Amino acid sequence: MIQRFTVAALVLTIVALLRAAPALAEPYLAVQTGYKCSVCHVNPTGGGLRNDFGLTYAKVLLPAETVSNDLDAWTGKLTDRLRVGGDLRADWTRTTMPNSPSQQSFSLEQFRVYADLTILPDRLGIYVDEQIAPNGSLNEEAYVHYGSFTDGFYVKGGQFYLPFGWRLQDQTAFVRQVTGINMTTPDKGIEVGWEHSNWSAQFDLTNGAANANTGSGYQITTQVVYTKPIWRVGIAGSSTQSNAGDRHIGGLFAGLKTGPIGWLAEGDIVHDDSFPGGRTLAAALLEGDWRIIKGHNLKLTAEYSDPDRSVKNDQQTRYSIVYEYTPLPFLQLRAGYRHYFGIPQNNQQNQQLILMELHGYF
């Protein structure tokens, strides 16, 4: 009882300390509203810095309580040409595995800042996403962009996240781990994109993670998404040519709105020649997000991973339930439970996780 009381007191203390801080949009919000990613974010493939509408949504439509007047002046703009933002996540987790003692800890998951400098409106700009903590300064995205992110063609050059499937908040999701394309693995190169009406498309030519230290090979990644008010569907592919072994990925993903519930689904398959003799891997995700009332969301997720299609009975599944409460603009509290099921002799594949997280964004 004393241990539980201590944990609860610490969580409440962190809530009080972060009460003035803010939340990162997730793809389920796009599905629930029928918007494309570029409606709320500076980056057309989603995530990161919010534009004018994205900030208005975070102030008025997302939280349970709208704070009048106090936040009206905050637009994220330091000048007419420079917009800034940020994101902070602090969490507490308790992990239990068979035949092992439970482990629990507080951690600073991330603190990052964003900036977008407009040189020529709707034509030329520079974007930066810098992670400040927990492991020191680390550049995630830094690119120059030319063209319109809202309607027409554009080009990015520099370092950026690759477009592939759902840009999920949880980077440990099986579909993000198996593909190796997530928000912890930016790459350097160029991206040509097209935004028009219901369509979004990207074509990327980058170094490829396997070639980061060798300077040989390349990676091609492409994605096309068609969006309608209550549903959307996308297809993505990636091919890496490397001395370590070629890697080819294909994926399908879709979203559907049914009343207050937004559904996300994704299935990916990977053929990786870096393993002796080659290996085919697969992963899938199904997520339902129920907007119970304004500011309250219940997330249920079922996941599947097969690390080698040629081996029987080595599959792993994971089920999660997460409650997200957004009491005020730019502040979110998350709590959840996650259970892994894998081969019996692997304790880590059968772990249980309890998590609590405070998320501030601006």
Side-chain angles (χ1 to χ4, degrees):
M1 288 298 295
I2 294 175
Q3 183 183 40
R4 292 178 181 177
F5 178 80
T6 302
V7 170
L10 287 171
V11 170
L12 289 174
T13 301
I14 295 175
V15 171
L17 291 172
L18 293 180
R19 187 174 176 85
L24 175 66
E26 293 189 53
Y28 78 83
L29 292 172
V31 172
Q32 288 179 341
T33 58
Y35 298 145
K36 295 168 67 176
C37 295
S38 58
V39 172
C40 290
H41 291 275
V42 171
N43 190 336
T45 56
L49 186 63
R50 297 155 191 81
N51 56 26
D52 288 335
F53 183 83
L55 281 173
T56 300
Y57 187 90
K59 291 178 185 179
V60 179
L61 301 177
L62 188 60
E65 177 187 345
T66 301
V67 180
S68 302
N69 302 323
D70 294 341
L71 290 175
D72 289 350
W74 175 250
T75 63
K77 292 183 178 179
L78 300 183
T79 70
D80 290 341
R81 299 296 180 91
L82 179 61
R83 179 188 294 274
V84 297
D87 189 88
L88 186 149
R89 292 180 183 271
D91 58 29
W92 172 83
T93 58
R94 179 183 176 86
T95 304
T96 304
M97 290 189 292
N99 307 311
S100 302
S102 298
Q103 297 182 346
Q104 63 183 30
S105 65
F106 286 98
S107 65
L108 177 61
E109 182 181 339
Q110 68 171 26
F111 173 48
R112 57 176 63 195
V113 294
Y114 317 113
D116 185 64
L117 174 64
T118 299
I119 301 172
L120 296 173
D122 293 324
R123 295 183 63 188
L124 184 63
I126 295 175
Y127 181 83
V128 176
D129 174 349
E130 190 80 10
Q131 180 165 300
I132 307 300
N135 300 315
S137 182
L138 177 66
N139 178 248
E140 298 290 355
E141 291 192 293
Y143 59 81
V144 59
H145 53 91
Y146 171 75
S148 173
F149 278 170
T150 57
D151 189 14
F153 286 96
Y154 68 84
V155 178
K156 292 180 186 176
Q159 178 168 294
F160 43 82
Y161 302 124
L162 299 179
F164 194 102
W166 290 116
R167 185 155 288 179
L168 301 169
Q169 179 273 330
D170 179 17
Q171 303 307 300
T172 67
F174 289 160
V175 291
R176 297 285 64 85
Q177 290 294 305
V178 169
T179 60
I181 300 177
N182 53 57
M183 294 181 72
T184 66
T185 57
D187 205 355
K188 297 178 177 67
I190 60 171
E191 175 177 299
V192 178
W194 180 61
E195 295 286 330
H196 180 68
S197 185
N198 305 109
W199 291 94
S200 298
Q202 292 84 32
F203 177 87
D204 293 42
L205 177 61
T206 59
N207 290 335
N211 307 308
N213 299 319
T214 64
S216 62
Y218 59 88
Q219 182 171 352
I220 294 175
T221 306
T222 186
Q223 176 174 274
V224 178
V225 183
Y226 183 71
T227 302
K228 296 293 284 184
I230 65 169
W231 62 272
R232 66 194 62 201
V233 63
I235 184 171
S238 185
S239 179
T240 302
Q241 306 297 315
S242 169
N243 293 336
D246 297 346
R247 198 166 192 264
H248 308 286
I249 313 172
L252 289 171
F253 57 102
L256 175 66
K257 178 184 178 182
T258 56
I261 301 177
W263 299 93
L264 307 177
E266 180 174 341
D268 303 310
I269 191 162
V270 179
H271 184 76
D272 194 338
D273 288 327
S274 65
F275 293 97
R279 180 182 295 185
T280 300
L281 308 84
L285 171 140
L286 178 63
E287 176 180 305
D289 288 89
W290 176 24
R291 189 175 188 263
I292 303 171
I293 56 175
K294 191 169 180 280
H296 297 260
N297 180 70
L298 180 63
K299 181 191 301 290
L300 300 174
T301 308
E303 301 176 64
Y304 169 86
S305 174
D306 187 342
D308 190 343
R309 297 284 291 163
S310 65
V311 177
K312 294 183 178 180
N313 302 319
D314 66 339
Q315 298 84 4
Q316 186 178 9
T317 56
R318 188 175 83 160
Y319 301 93
S320 307
I321 177 170
V322 178
Y323 195 86
E324 299 174 334
Y325 173 46
T326 308
L328 299 170
F330 307 129
L331 175 66
Q332 185 183 72
L333 175 64
R334 306 172 75 242
Y337 170 77
R338 182 169 290 147
H339 199 155
Y340 292 75
F341 296 90
I343 56 177
Q345 58 269 36
N346 189 321
N347 293 335
Q348 190 170 11
Q349 289 190 7
N350 292 276
Q351 64 178 296
Q352 300 178 55
L353 175 70
I354 299 173
L355 63 94
M356 298 187 72
E357 180 186 84
L358 278 166
H359 180 200
Y361 59 101
F362 60 93

